[in-house]
């Protein structure tokens, strides 16, 4: 389980998260919704230790967080476009490889594991193509495979489908849900479409002005989720 408790983050003097509590269980896809500027990305950065927290703590499975436990997937797809799909996925293993072995090319075990990760996202047949030759949706699935190749306990995704068309968005979210359910990962995804959250997430947290204003199961009517997105009056 990923547990954030009492997380307060300030940029300069200004607090942007006010003692936020959020948990994500293993086997669960949690969607975080909120208007622009409500602190969603900051929450994800705090979880990943990419921003200093003024107060609060982050644990993974009840213990201190190790950076290798957390894999990140971004809105803008960060792949090396001219390298092969397989090399991009292998890069997920870099954190646990000695520098020497990665300079000499990835070891066979890593390449095999990366291939299995590609199979997981349905793209094994594209392993030897240049990453840049794939569609946006396929590239994001490669990014998910790279995250898997890191062998994380937690996946953090910041608007992973914002740049994708509706069909690709459905596919990537179904994949993230499956990783939670089948692999037992704790998956936190910031989304901007309540309808997608309602369809795919097991739980939804709503942020407003740096505070949690909703935490529950996505119900069939997504109206309550849309309310979270309305600008603060
Ligand atoms: N590096 C930064 N320095 C100063 N202010 C920031 C920085 N990053 C974000 N903010 C501010 O913090 C607030 C929350 O931002 P963010 O977490 O990116 O929101 P969201 O992802 O929900 O749109 C916003 O008001 C934003 O302008
Ligand atoms: Mg953001």
């Amino acid at each position: 389980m990923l547990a954030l408790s009492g997380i307060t983050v300030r940029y300069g003097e200004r607090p942007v998260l006010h003692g936020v509590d959020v948990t994500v269980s293993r086997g669960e896809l949690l969607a975080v919704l909120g208007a622009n500027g409500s602190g969603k990305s900051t929450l994800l950065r705090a979880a990943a230790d990419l921003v200093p927290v003024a107060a609060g703590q982050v644990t993974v499975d009840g213990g201190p967080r190790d950076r290798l436990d957390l894999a990140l997937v971004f809105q803008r797809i960060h792949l090396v476009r001219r390298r092969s799909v397989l090399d991009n996925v292998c890069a997920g293993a870099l954190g646990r490889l000695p520098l020497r072995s990665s300079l000499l090319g990835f070891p066979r075990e890593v390449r095999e594991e990366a291939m299995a990760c590609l199979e997981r996202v349905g793209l094994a047949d594209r392993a030897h193509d240049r990453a840049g030759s794939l569609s946006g949706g396929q590239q994001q699935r490669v990014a998910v495979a790279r995250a898997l190749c890191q062998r994380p306990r937690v996946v953090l995704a910041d608007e992973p489908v914002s740049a994708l068309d509706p069909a690709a968005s459905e596919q990537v979210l179904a994949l993230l849900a499956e990783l939670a359910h089948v692999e037992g990962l704790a998956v936190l995804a910031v989304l901007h479409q309540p309808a997608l959250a309602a369809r795919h997430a097991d739980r939804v947290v709503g942020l407003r002005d740096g505070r949690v204003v909703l935490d529950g199961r996505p119900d069939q009517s997504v109206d309550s989720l849309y309310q979270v997105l309305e600008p603060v009056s």
Side-chain angles (χ1 to χ4, degrees):
M1 175 192 279
L2 169 70
L4 298 111
S5 38
I7 299 292
T8 297
V9 173
R10 297 194 187 91
Y11 289 123
E13 288 294 285
R14 203 166 70 88
V16 294
L17 291 178
H18 306 260
V20 169
D21 297 319
V22 172
T23 60
V24 195
S25 298
R26 297 281 214 127
E28 182 176 58
L29 170 59
L30 174 79
V32 175
L33 295 173
N36 277 341
S38 57
K40 305 180 298 297
S41 294
T42 301
L43 182 70
L44 200 136
R45 281 186 217 121
D49 200 16
L50 297 173
V51 70
V53 299
Q57 75 171 13
V58 179
T59 59
V60 174
D61 295 339
R65 160 193 53 191
D66 181 325
R67 272 201 195 198
L68 289 180
D69 289 337
L70 300 135
L72 299 166
V73 176
F74 300 96
Q75 172 180 359
R76 267 202 62 236
I77 300 160
H78 296 275
L79 297 181
V80 184
R81 295 172 53 86
R82 59 191 173 73
R83 297 292 293 273
S84 72
V85 165
L86 188 66
D87 278 352
N88 273 278
V89 177
C90 286
L94 278 176
R96 62 171 184 274
L97 290 176
L99 181 61
R100 168 171 37 94
S101 73
S102 48
L103 289 176
L104 295 172
F106 295 103
R108 195 167 65 111
E109 314 84 77
V110 171
R111 294 168 63 83
E112 284 170 3
E113 184 171 347
M115 203 62 194
C117 294
L118 274 174
E119 266 160 34
R120 197 76 191 71
V121 305
L123 287 171
D125 58 327
R126 306 300 301 271
H128 302 292
D129 294 344
R130 282 159 38 121
S133 71
L134 272 56
S135 72
Q138 289 169 335
Q139 289 189 33
Q140 194 61 299
R141 281 154 61 203
V142 173
V144 171
R146 179 182 55 192
L148 271 181
C149 199
Q150 192 184 321
R151 297 186 196 158
R153 303 176 192 217
V154 177
V155 173
L156 302 168
D158 197 356
E159 304 206 20
V161 301
S162 301
L164 305 182
D165 64 43
S169 298
E170 293 290 341
Q171 231 181 3
V172 167
L173 276 172
L175 175 63
L176 290 173
E178 196 180 296
L179 294 184
H181 301 158
V182 178
E183 313 288 333
L185 303 178
V187 183
L188 184 160
V190 171
L191 298 178
H192 70 308
Q193 288 164 288
L196 279 177
R199 271 203 295 287
H200 295 282
D202 302 299
R203 236 174 76 232
V204 174
V205 158
L207 274 187
R208 193 180 190 96
D209 252 357
R211 293 188 169 83
V212 174
V213 293
L214 176 156
D215 186 343
R217 305 209 153 271
D219 35 38
Q220 297 301 39
S221 109
V222 294
D223 292 355
S224 61
L225 302 181
Y226 275 100
Q227 280 167 17
V228 174
L229 297 180
E230 278 161 18
V232 183
S233 47

